[in-house]
Amino acid sequence: MPWLSILMGVSVLGALGVTLVRNDKLAKQFTLGVSLIVLALAIAMAVQFSPNGDKFQFTEKYDWIPALGVHYAVGVDGIALVLILLSVVLVPIVVLASWHDAEAGKRSVRTYFSLMLVLEAMMIGVFASTDVFLFYVFFEAMLIPMYFMIGSYGGAQRSYAAVKFLLYSLFGGLLMLVAVIALYTIAGKGTFMFPDLVGTIQDVNTQKWLFLGFFIAFAIKAPLWPFHTWLPDAAAQAPAGAAVLLVGVLDKVGTYGMLRFCLELFPDASKFFTPMVITLSVIGIVYGAIVAIGQTDMKRLIAYTSVSHFGFIALGVFAMTTNAGAGATLYMVNHGFSTGALFLIAGFLIQRRGSQFIADYGGVQKVAPVLAGTFLVAGLSSLSLPGLSTFVSEFMVLVGTYEKYLVPAAIATTGVILAAIYILWMYQRTMNGPTAESVKHLPDLNAREKWVVAPLIALLLVFGFYPKPLLDVIHPAVKNTLSSVPATDPAPAVQVAKEAQ
Amino acid sequence: MEPAEIIQHSGGVIGASWLMIALPLLGAAVLLLGGRRTDKFGHLLGVAMAVASFVVAALAFIQLLGFAPGERRRGVELYDLIPGIAKVGLLVDPLSISFCLLITFVGSLIHIYSIGYMAHDPARRRFFAYLNLFVAAMLVLVLADNYLGLYVGWEGVGLASYLLIGFWQHKPTAATAAKKAFIVNRVGDFGLSIGIFTIFATFHSLSYQGVAEGMAKGGSIPATAIGLLLLLGACGKSAQLPLQSWLLDAMEGPTPVSALIHAATMVTAGVYLVVRSGPIFQATDTAQLVVTIVGVATLLAGAIIGTAKDDIKKALAGSTMSQIGYMMLAAGIGPAGYAFAIAHLITHGFFKADMFLGAGSVMHGMNDEVNMRKYGGLRKVMPITFVTFLIGYLAIIGFPLLSGYFTKDGIIETAMEHNAILGWLAVLGAGITGFYMSRLVFMTFFGKKRWEADAHPHESPAVMTWPLIILSIGAVVLGAFLILGNRFMLFLSPAVGRPEELPSFHPFSTTGLATLALVAVGVVFAWYRYGSAEVPGVAPRGSFLTAFARRDLYGDALNEALLMRPGQWLTRLAVYFDNRGVDGLVNSLAALIGGSSGRLRRIQTGYVRSYALSIFVGAAVLVGAWFVVGNL
């Protein structure tokens, strides 16, 4: 079965279908239905994935532009699979959360939900592409629905934010396109198929230039310090749901790209640039967290926490150990759930009060305990509290990095202190203390909103205590990627018996 | 003598010892998810789960006693937590079971007491949910058979502590104290985390068994670094210098919380960590020395703070710091001190919980007044509270034959043998303890009434006094039971080892007599100042030293000057830099390009498709340039 094409096809057909529905409410229900069908299909696909089987599974390959060797070629390994699962889990949640978000937009409600399904198809496509050119096409095309979601449905500064987001990303995309074409030409294989291109570029200097073309595009996308300044604007102006898809999934394409393309296509260059990337990552971790502490706007604060978290992910990717790589991949998934929950609950709060500013709140816990409680859980997941899945990934990244790079890992670990400060301080200022006059009559979460939050918290908890199902899929894929670099894990100083581990 | 091997075993109650954790966790889940529907029976469910957990612990203990001493370390495998890094397993051995019994027994009593103490609080159900959560997390901490599991419990109790300190979160002081506790603890966790990373990098194992095996094998092991990093974690959790400042603020929490978490159990986790990591610490004299210095410094600092506090809970909190300092000192000495450290931890759990709950009982009768200058003469109106408190008091100052006499003097004697300077400082600490505890008792229960006009003190209900009575019985007998005949040392030795030569108990040793004499001086001096003399209703200005002690030895002032203010400036600077520097650069670059290509603006229609087109064109130009340059 062409599973991946079916997933994308259902989303695209759903997107077309939504535009035909005349009634807004029906359109929303239809969108929710489609996204749930996609989720069900994706789960049906995922259970058939065999972690220790072929590297890419559910593969399809058709010629697209035969003259140039461009294919419509898709397939997933464990890394792509979990990211596709993240995407299809988040979409129905975001749809439900965005029920009333599009009403004040410049365009119709139907368009908003249609864009969301278009975006879903592209998110699946970008992770599933096994043709580098196809990946590039999805990488760029994804910008378009997101541009409209921010530009037409966002906050007061939406135009500025949307254009900044677009131009920034296009700039990165441009560099990548150059590198893609150069890769194709220099490799001289007459194909854009990723598996055929691995190992074709032997010259280290060529690798370095091509690496930079890909890497800068990914670093902007992720975003890594110092390419991050578009993110707080975009995330603060985007409707909460769009912000979740932007930070939760779209940005992961950047870190995914580093793991998939930079490491495998340009292994020597990756090793050459490792000190630089690790430096940028560690700066991003600390810098993002410190700037987050100083924010006065909730959504900007959450965006900066993500700058810090993306530093962890990039650190894990470039540490090139099994634990760090698997941790980074898991981090991408967990961060989607965690930041998703934070953005959405903050969105519920902002919608009620009509302000994104932290100072406009206080004592919400008293009037809306469920909202406050879920916000706290989401916040605790952001500071990686054990028992929540984000802890597992952060621990793996740090322990895996520490094996090789002691000092950077130690500096990155200060993130655990800084995260406690930005989360708990925000929580205290919004939820604790005497109840502010303006929030005295805020209603607590309604049933729809509880259905939005519950699955996210359940996922954070379940994978916090039992991450094995995800790790069993991720581990072989990461080992495979690292073995093609090749990168090996350092041996312990003292070997102890296997059973004592 | 070396610790015994761990035997994998999953039969009987020990095999089901995960129930100890699961039951209170279930209680917490039901109470938190059930919402108001569980308001009616929430407190009863909470108590039932704590008691059930104690029953499991007691049965596991009995089963453990059935094995020969050398076979009393039983591992229970559960599941693979992070494949390749650590499994979840429990280790039921004399050390962990001692903690389990303490946590669940004292925990159950405090649950019961809270029924009365929190009777009028509208959020009582949530309170019991958090207490249950705490018990579960604390049991994870002590039962885990590896450092990752310990860390999970470690952060779990931190969360419960955060939630309970800030339980009355509408009070800004409570919310701030809760946040402070969490953040200061995270500083410790930073050390603990890196310590754990180092352990993993060294052994590729996080299990206690793996670490012990690796340490025995030897090689290039950074034992000192690991030890000091773990100690930093221990200092955070156990409020030892230099991470002590959160504990006094933590008294913002409801008093049963102070008794359970911030006196009897959670704050002693650092001592547990040091003792559990014995194989690492024993390989490094430096780290051990630092542990003992931290212990002595904190035992003196806490005692000095205790002398100047008028808030009864803060005086007790200073005392807790100080007593944990004693435990830390003993834990730093090695196998000769482990049994005394843990024995004192247990007896302290009883007498300090007894006194905290007694303080709660006093507050309950005095409209939540905490200022001892507004107390006085309470012994007549609260006879049960008074007598039980008095027992706890006598136990902590080391009155002969009571618990503290055996356990604290054990620590002092061991310290004296180990290092005379440390020993004498510990004796000095005991003298100060005699003073500040007597001051507290005299100000509260003796002298003239200095009550506010609307205070109508009364004895607390039976649900609150019975736990006091039971705890005070423990405060009387436990010390003798554990120490005489080296009973506890022999019991504990399969888990932590013991010195070749068993210590013997001398009732009239020089150290013991000196300690007693100094304590007596402290008591008499306190009587002279606060018993026989009138206690002023408003605190006198006092000398420089008093001010020093009142302000927690300037701990907060130091934190503020060294960390908080620079931190605030750094944050402001970073935000400014991010807005003006990084983003400004990008924007001005954009403006530069935009300005120099003013004519191009006309073709910038704002439509995405034209942008897309321009990318392709631009890319083609660049690729062309590449080839041109390449061919040159």
Side-chain angles (χ1 to χ4, degrees), chain B residues 213-231:
Chain B
E213 224 173 83
M215 292 303 301
K217 235 175 167 182
S220 60
I221 299 168
T224 306
I226 299 174
L228 293 176
L229 288 163
L230 296 183
L231 176 64

Short mmCIF file of all heavy atoms in Angstrom, two decimals, chain B residues 213-231:
data_model
loop_
_atom_site.label_atom_id
_atom_site.label_comp_id
_atom_site.label_asym_id
_atom_site.label_seq_id
_atom_site.Cartn_x
_atom_site.Cartn_y
_atom_site.Cartn_z
N GLU B 213 30.59 -2.10 41.41
CA GLU B 213 31.48 -3.02 40.69
C GLU B 213 32.62 -2.25 40.03
O GLU B 213 33.79 -2.64 40.13
CB GLU B 213 30.66 -3.70 39.60
CG GLU B 213 30.88 -5.18 39.48
CD GLU B 213 29.87 -5.76 38.49
OE1 GLU B 213 30.17 -5.67 37.29
OE2 GLU B 213 28.82 -6.25 38.93
N GLY B 214 32.26 -1.16 39.36
CA GLY B 214 33.26 -0.36 38.68
C GLY B 214 34.25 0.25 39.64
O GLY B 214 35.46 0.28 39.38
N MET B 215 33.76 0.74 40.77
CA MET B 215 34.66 1.34 41.76
C MET B 215 35.63 0.29 42.29
O MET B 215 36.81 0.58 42.51
CB MET B 215 33.88 1.95 42.93
CG MET B 215 33.05 3.16 42.60
SD MET B 215 33.90 4.57 41.87
CE MET B 215 35.12 4.94 43.10
N ALA B 216 35.11 -0.93 42.49
CA ALA B 216 35.97 -1.99 43.01
C ALA B 216 37.05 -2.35 41.99
O ALA B 216 38.18 -2.64 42.35
CB ALA B 216 35.12 -3.22 43.34
N LYS B 217 36.67 -2.30 40.72
CA LYS B 217 37.60 -2.63 39.65
C LYS B 217 38.73 -1.58 39.56
O LYS B 217 39.86 -1.92 39.27
CB LYS B 217 36.85 -2.65 38.33
CG LYS B 217 36.99 -3.95 37.57
CD LYS B 217 36.11 -3.89 36.34
CE LYS B 217 36.43 -4.99 35.37
NZ LYS B 217 35.59 -4.89 34.18
N GLY B 218 38.35 -0.34 39.76
CA GLY B 218 39.35 0.72 39.70
C GLY B 218 39.68 1.12 38.27
O GLY B 218 39.09 0.62 37.32
N GLY B 219 40.63 2.02 38.14
CA GLY B 219 40.96 2.56 36.83
C GLY B 219 40.91 4.07 36.92
O GLY B 219 40.95 4.62 38.02
N SER B 220 40.80 4.72 35.76
CA SER B 220 40.77 6.19 35.82
C SER B 220 39.34 6.65 36.08
O SER B 220 38.56 6.82 35.16
CB SER B 220 41.30 6.78 34.52
OG SER B 220 40.50 6.34 33.45
N ILE B 221 39.05 6.79 37.35
CA ILE B 221 37.70 7.17 37.76
C ILE B 221 37.76 8.55 38.41
O ILE B 221 38.50 8.74 39.39
CB ILE B 221 37.12 6.15 38.77
CG1 ILE B 221 37.05 4.77 38.12
CG2 ILE B 221 35.74 6.60 39.24
CD1 ILE B 221 36.77 3.67 39.08
N PRO B 222 37.01 9.52 37.90
CA PRO B 222 37.03 10.85 38.51
C PRO B 222 36.17 10.88 39.77
O PRO B 222 35.16 11.60 39.83
CB PRO B 222 36.46 11.74 37.41
CG PRO B 222 35.59 10.84 36.60
CD PRO B 222 36.15 9.46 36.71
N ALA B 223 36.57 10.11 40.79
CA ALA B 223 35.71 9.95 41.97
C ALA B 223 35.51 11.27 42.70
O ALA B 223 34.40 11.56 43.17
CB ALA B 223 36.32 8.92 42.92
N THR B 224 36.57 12.07 42.80
CA THR B 224 36.43 13.34 43.53
C THR B 224 35.41 14.24 42.85
O THR B 224 34.54 14.84 43.49
CB THR B 224 37.78 14.05 43.64
OG1 THR B 224 38.72 13.14 44.21
CG2 THR B 224 37.70 15.29 44.48
N ALA B 225 35.54 14.34 41.52
CA ALA B 225 34.59 15.18 40.78
C ALA B 225 33.17 14.68 40.98
O ALA B 225 32.25 15.46 41.29
CB ALA B 225 34.95 15.19 39.29
N ILE B 226 32.97 13.39 40.82
CA ILE B 226 31.61 12.84 40.99
C ILE B 226 31.11 13.14 42.39
O ILE B 226 29.98 13.61 42.59
CB ILE B 226 31.58 11.31 40.73
CG1 ILE B 226 32.02 11.00 39.30
CG2 ILE B 226 30.18 10.76 40.98
CD1 ILE B 226 32.15 9.52 39.02
N GLY B 227 31.98 12.88 43.38
CA GLY B 227 31.57 13.10 44.77
C GLY B 227 31.15 14.54 45.01
O GLY B 227 30.09 14.80 45.59
N LEU B 228 31.94 15.49 44.54
CA LEU B 228 31.62 16.90 44.78
C LEU B 228 30.35 17.30 44.04
O LEU B 228 29.55 18.09 44.54
CB LEU B 228 32.80 17.79 44.37
CG LEU B 228 34.03 17.61 45.26
CD1 LEU B 228 35.19 18.47 44.73
CD2 LEU B 228 33.74 17.97 46.72
N LEU B 229 30.15 16.76 42.85
CA LEU B 229 28.94 17.10 42.09
C LEU B 229 27.70 16.55 42.79
O LEU B 229 26.67 17.24 42.90
CB LEU B 229 29.05 16.56 40.67
CG LEU B 229 30.05 17.30 39.76
CD1 LEU B 229 30.40 16.48 38.54
CD2 LEU B 229 29.47 18.65 39.36
N LEU B 230 27.82 15.30 43.26
CA LEU B 230 26.68 14.73 43.99
C LEU B 230 26.43 15.55 45.25
O LEU B 230 25.28 15.80 45.63
CB LEU B 230 26.94 13.26 44.36
CG LEU B 230 27.10 12.27 43.22
CD1 LEU B 230 27.28 10.85 43.77
CD2 LEU B 230 25.89 12.29 42.28
N LEU B 231 27.51 15.98 45.89
CA LEU B 231 27.36 16.77 47.12
C LEU B 231 26.60 18.07 46.83
O LEU B 231 25.78 18.51 47.64
CB LEU B 231 28.74 17.07 47.71
CG LEU B 231 28.72 17.97 48.95
CD1 LEU B 231 27.98 17.29 50.10
CD2 LEU B 231 30.12 18.35 49.39
#
